[in-house]
Amino acid sequence: MSSDDVDATGGADSVTTDGPRGDRRLVFAGGFGLIGAVLGYLAVRALVALGSLPDQAEVLALPIFGLLGVTGFVLFVVSFLTG
């Protein structure tokens, strides 16, 4: 058993296994992109409903946050395909 087979606690009986697939940076970027898109669009809808923004703001926000969501989704999926 080499030193690579021992976990961080130093126990000789516990062998490490590979972690989850996916590049963590892409997973986080994709996840935050998806969350940001949903929360951003919901915030714009709430501001339109409160009357703080005109109705046209929602029409403008939909494609902007839609592109952010699609980009986040693609980054999230690509992270698992390249891992």
Side-chain angles (χ1 to χ4, degrees):
M1 181 178 293
S2 70
S3 63
D4 293 336
D5 294 335
V6 179
D7 69 357
T9 61
D13 293 337
S14 55
V15 177
T16 60
T17 59
D18 291 336
R21 291 183 61 205
D23 182 8
R24 286 182 181 230
R25 293 173 296 175
L26 290 176
V27 170
F28 283 126
F32 286 135
L34 287 169
I35 292 169
V38 171
L39 293 179
Y41 182 69
L42 288 176
V44 170
R45 286 199 57 185
L47 289 173
V48 168
L50 290 172
S52 298
L53 289 175
D55 292 340
Q56 292 84 8
E58 188 174 354
V59 175
L60 182 64
L62 184 59
I64 292 171
F65 289 113
L67 285 175
L68 179 63
V70 167
T71 304
F73 178 76
V74 168
L75 287 175
F76 191 77
V77 170
V78 165
S79 71
F80 292 100
L81 295 177
T82 61

